[in-house]
Amino acid sequence: MENLCPRFEKAMVLLSTRWVGLILFDLLKGTKRFSEMEADLPISGRLLSDRLKMLEKEGIVTRDIYSEFPVRIEYSLSEKGKALAPVIQEIQNWAENYISLDELNENTK
């Protein structure tokens, strides 16, 4: 049996980290401020902050700080992050084709 590629494994661990997929999906729509993302996603501010820091450390998300009053901070996908667009889109396509609404309702019970 062929050994699992460590790079593939790291990518799967990263992408399967809770909320990362939704954060990436949200940022694929364009640059967002933290408050916009917090309003868009069903996630606490603290956890969103932790995930954004992790994605920034991985070079997937960039954080731009604007010296205004109040200070404006915006998040966007880096080139590395934008390269995930076809992956995220294919996961979305797969989900639409193979995950039924009944399955979603079963998971929320």
Side-chain angles (χ1 to χ4, degrees):
M1 186 173 144
E2 189 176 320
N3 288 337
L4 188 61
C5 173
R7 290 177 178 174
F8 178 82
E9 185 177 5
K10 179 175 173 54
M12 290 303 293
V13 167
L14 179 66
L15 292 175
S16 66
T17 300
R18 189 171 175 107
W19 304 113
V20 165
L22 290 178
I23 292 168
L24 295 175
F25 191 81
D26 197 40
L27 285 174
L28 282 171
K29 299 171 193 166
T31 300
K32 300 270 183 142
R33 294 176 78 163
F34 185 88
S35 59
E36 293 173 307
M37 294 176 65
E38 196 173 23
D40 289 346
L41 302 169
I43 179 176
S44 74
R46 188 178 70 76
L47 193 50
L48 177 58
S49 177
D50 287 348
R51 293 300 185 262
L52 287 169
K53 285 177 187 170
M54 178 189 79
L55 291 167
E56 186 179 4
K57 183 180 174 195
E58 292 289 338
I60 293 171
V61 167
T62 59
R63 181 174 61 136
D64 294 309
I65 303 170
Y66 298 92
S67 299
E68 303 173 346
F69 186 80
V71 172
R72 180 169 47 108
I73 301 173
E74 294 182 340
Y75 295 89
S76 58
L77 293 176
S78 65
E79 287 306 310
K80 184 177 176 180
K82 289 175 185 172
L84 286 166
V87 175
I88 301 295
Q89 187 57 56
E90 282 304 314
I91 293 171
Q92 176 68 24
N93 293 342
W94 181 85
E96 288 175 5
N97 288 319
Y98 295 103
I99 297 180
S100 70
L101 293 177
D102 291 337
E103 288 176 283
L104 289 177
N105 293 333
E106 288 172 11
N107 293 337
T108 59
K109 290 180 183 177

